[in-house]
Every structure is written in C-alpha cells, then in structure tokens.
Amino acid sequence: MPFISSSSDLATWIIAISILVSTVLSILAFLGIAQGLQVRIWRNQIEAKLRVLESYRNTVRDEARKKLEKLGAHNPDEVVNTVIEYFVIEPVSIEPIDIIKRLEKVLRTEEERIEDIVSRSLPKDVSDVDKKNIVTLLAIANVLNTLYKFVRHILLLGIKTKNAMLVAQLWMMMPFYMRIAKAYFDAAKIINKGIPIGDAAGPLAAYKLMKMLRLEAGPKEVVKDTMYSVHSFEERRVIIVKARGPGSTVGRPGEAVEKIVNEELEGNIAAIITVDAALKMEGEETGSIAEGTGVAMGDPGPEKIRIERVAVAHGAQLYAIAIKMSLEEAITAIKKEIVDGVEKAVDRVKKLILETTKPGDTVIVVGVGNTLGVAQ
C-alpha cells in the first residue's frame, strides 16, 4: 500500500508539472513572447551563416584583387569594386516581339563591358587565357556578393517589420543558399588555378572526338571565342564545335553553328548533336549519361534558339547527350566519374552518327560548356 501511494503521488506531480508548463507556454504564446524567442533563435542562426557568406565573398574578392595585381593591373581595386556590383536589367518581356535579339544584345553588352574593364586595367602582354580566367573569377565574386546582400536584406527586412514568417522562411532556405555559396567559393579556387571543371564535360567530349576522328581541316576560330574543325568518320563529314580553350569561356556555340551551316555548308546538314553537362537529380549517379532530342544547352536563350532555328530551316535532326552531375560538381574540379561519363558520351555520339545518318551526310557535334583547361 505505501508503494502504491508513493507511485500515485509521483504521477500526480508529473501531471501537475505538465499542466503548469503547458499553461506557461500557452500564456507566452498568447503574449507573443514565445514567438519572439523563436525569432531570436532563427536570427542568431541566420546571422552566423551570414558571417560565413561574408567571409566567402571577401575571400574571393581578395583573390581576384591579388590575381589582378599579379598580372600587373594598375587599378585592381577599382576593377573589383566595379565588376562585383555589376548588374544586368532584363529586356521588356510583356511585348515578346524580338525579345531574343534584345536579350542577346543585353548579354553581349555585359560580356564585352566586363572584358573591356579587365583588359583596360592589364598590360597588353597578358595572355587571353589569364584575362578569361580573371573575368570568371570576378563573376563568381559578383554572385557571392549578390547572395550575401540578398540574405542580409531579407533578414533585416523581417526584423524591421517584425515579420516572423519572413525570418522563418529565410531560416528554412539557408541550407540551400549555403550549399550554393560553398560551391561557388570552392569554384573560385579552381578557376584561379586553371583546372578543368565539371562543366567542361561537353568541351572535353568535343576535344576527345577531335583527337579520335581523322582531321580534314582546322581547328580555326569561326566566331568570337569559338573554334571548329572538320573530320571524317565512316564516310560522314563531322564538324566539331567548342569554345576556344584553355581559358574560361563558353564561347558562342549557337552563332558558330548558324554561321557554319548557312555560310560554309549552304544548308547541307543532316543532324546537330549537342553534348553538355546536366544537373542530376538526387539519387542519380555522377557521370551517368542520357540521350534526348533538342539542344542541350544552359543558355538563357539567344545561343540555343540559333541552333533550333537553323535546324528547322534546313531540316536537320536535333540530338542531345547529357552528362549528369550536381551543381557543386559542375563548377569545381572535374571528377573521375565525370571523365568516365565523357568517354561514354563520346561513344554514344559515334553510335548516334552511325544510326541516324547515312554515308555522305554532314553532322555537327557541339561540345557545350565552359572550356576551362581544355584546349582544341
């Protein structure tokens, strides 16, 4: 009996304490105090990650400035400060007429302006490869700076307006933002050293094909930063297009294909095959490949639509080979799995040429992507 009484008293105390805690929490929630404590916790965690973002941005900015100084730039701070805050205003989309041409104009102006800013600050004897790499490094600094300012803006806006939901949403998105930031931060180190990145899978596939097939002409530059060479393969003529390496650039593959087909082939084209890196879904293997139809290209529109239009105009088939990888793998040092995937993609391209064309046909193969560290 004493034991039973003791157990009953303990259970009563536990229930009483539970009711008391629940009552206190309910009062705190009713008064908004609990929510305020939660917002403070979220704020502290976001601010901790914001400091990491700031360190990423500052580190890459300093690396870019040091690189400019090493190359002999006379105004490295001015160049970095200008490019890191550079922005692009999208053309009006409510009126779709000629929007592709207007978008292309905006993007080309941005590209040429930043390259001009960098070129003007450097001695004339600096190589084009170094110029391309520093432009890409500055572009990464711009991305990290933009991401840092965006996160800071949302946090301060949420605190200023006492909007707990806004702070909560930012807190929930921080792991994704930090993942992106870390990927770009790691990419800056690779770009600075000129090491091929995962996104170079397309150009690497083109390079391997260039070395594998019998050369007839080239390689030579057809448009700005874009090369092509002519090869023969099983009685077919194969024209291989890639960005001019080994500097960091994606070239102008769409304009190159358009010019080759219209001016050099006079519309005599059977198929256009694009090979590019593609973001994998979680669970997919790095370096796995997939075949599809269309133009494999992460371009905002102007380059991709040139290939689509020229294919429609001349009745060419559009085939695509995708090499799967994550965002981090795409912008950091190329992995063995991706190189293995490139080998598979090359074999698939050769098989595709044999299966979809006949002897005497002309095929264009485009290695799409950043050709950093990949020559021709």
Side-chain angles (χ1 to χ4, degrees):
M1 291 296 293
F3 175 76
I4 296 175
S5 177
S6 176
S7 299
S8 177
D9 290 343
L10 179 60
T12 302
W13 276 106
I14 291 174
I15 294 171
I17 292 172
S18 298
I19 294 173
L20 178 62
V21 171
S22 299
T23 303
V24 171
L25 290 177
S26 298
I27 294 172
L28 290 176
F30 178 76
L31 296 175
I33 297 174
Q35 186 181 73
L37 291 173
Q38 184 62 68
V39 169
R40 182 173 292 277
I41 293 171
W42 288 333
R43 175 181 176 177
N44 290 339
Q45 293 178 351
I46 293 171
E47 287 177 341
K49 289 182 171 60
L50 194 58
R51 287 191 290 271
V52 176
L53 275 178
E54 185 178 23
S55 71
Y56 285 170
R57 180 199 63 175
N58 294 342
T59 300
V60 175
R61 182 177 60 189
D62 291 342
E63 285 295 323
R65 181 176 52 78
K66 290 175 183 177
K67 182 76 171 180
L68 285 165
E69 289 177 344
K70 185 178 180 180
L71 294 174
H74 58 83
N75 56 343
D77 288 325
E78 181 182 341
V79 172
V80 171
N81 292 335
T82 300
V83 178
I84 202 173
E85 294 288 348
Y86 204 89
F87 62 93
V88 175
I89 301 173
E90 294 182 359
V92 175
S93 59
I94 194 171
E95 173 54 77
I97 296 175
D98 77 351
I99 189 171
I100 287 294
K101 290 183 179 179
R102 289 185 279 121
L103 178 59
E104 181 180 65
K105 182 66 176 178
V106 170
L107 295 176
R108 293 276 176 89
T109 301
E110 175 204 17
E111 174 190 328
E112 292 166 2
R113 174 57 181 156
I114 292 177
E115 288 180 353
D116 183 60
I117 291 172
V118 172
S119 295
R120 285 177 180 274
S121 71
L122 296 172
K124 293 183 179 180
D125 60 347
V126 173
S127 71
D128 188 60
V129 171
D130 284 329
K131 290 179 182 177
K132 295 292 184 187
N133 291 352
I134 190 63
V135 166
T136 303
L137 188 60
L138 287 167
I140 291 174
N142 180 284
V143 170
L144 289 173
N145 182 55
T146 302
L147 183 57
Y148 167 75
K149 292 199 300 181
F150 170 77
V151 171
R152 183 182 62 182
H153 167 72
I154 298 299
L155 175 62
L156 295 179
L157 184 63
I159 294 170
K160 183 177 181 179
T161 58
K162 294 182 174 59
N163 190 330
M165 290 305 299
L166 190 59
V167 177
Q169 289 172 356
L170 178 61
W171 177 77
M172 287 185 283
M173 290 300 297
M174 283 308 296
F176 299 99
Y177 294 148
M178 295 305 298
R179 180 179 178 182
I180 293 171
K182 183 63 164 59
Y184 276 103
F185 178 70
D186 291 339
K189 305 170 189 176
I190 303 303
I191 298 292
N192 206 14
K193 296 177 181 178
I195 299 172
I197 59 177
D199 192 49
L204 183 58
Y207 171 81
K208 287 182 176 293
L209 275 171
M210 285 178 172
K211 299 304 177 184
M212 188 179 298
L213 306 184
R214 187 165 67 86
L215 179 66
E216 292 186 356
K220 65 178 181 179
E221 189 169 44
V222 57
V223 296
K224 183 178 182 294
D225 295 333
T226 313
M227 311 291 290
Y228 84 101
S229 56
V230 183
H231 303 258
S232 60
F233 173 63
E234 298 292 340
E235 301 181 53
R236 281 91 164 164
R237 181 165 55 160
V238 180
I239 297 174
I240 303 174
V241 179
K242 69 177 289 295
R244 178 164 60 88
S248 177
T249 180
V250 296
R252 296 179 178 177
E255 184 181 354
V257 170
E258 182 181 59
K259 186 173 182 179
I260 292 169
V261 173
N262 291 335
E263 298 182 12
E264 304 200 19
L265 301 180
E266 297 180 346
N268 181 25
I269 180 71
I272 301 172
I273 303 172
T274 48
V275 183
D276 193 13
L279 286 178
K280 68 173 185 176
M281 294 186 180
E282 292 298 331
E284 290 188 296
E285 292 183 7
T286 297
S288 59
I289 66 170
E291 178 185 327
T293 302
V295 180
M297 187 177 295
D299 171 71
E303 295 297 323
K304 185 176 181 180
I305 201 171
R306 284 177 181 268
I307 298 178
E308 293 171 344
R309 282 174 173 167
V310 80
V312 170
H314 301 291
Q317 301 301 316
L318 289 174
Y319 301 109
I321 304 294
I323 304 170
K324 304 290 187 70
M325 63 192 73
S326 67
L327 171 64
E328 294 90 337
E329 292 165 336
I331 60 178
T332 52
I334 192 167
K335 290 184 173 182
K336 180 182 181 300
E337 293 88 345
I338 296 174
V339 175
D340 292 340
V342 169
E343 297 286 354
K344 296 175 187 175
V346 169
D347 291 339
R348 182 68 66 89
V349 168
K350 291 163 63 179
K351 182 179 179 182
L352 198 56
I353 292 173
L354 294 176
E355 292 179 347
T356 61
T357 65
K358 60 185 184 299
D361 282 347
T362 299
V363 181
I364 293 179
V365 178
V366 188
V368 181
N370 191 315
T371 195
L372 176 68
V374 182
Q376 52 277 328

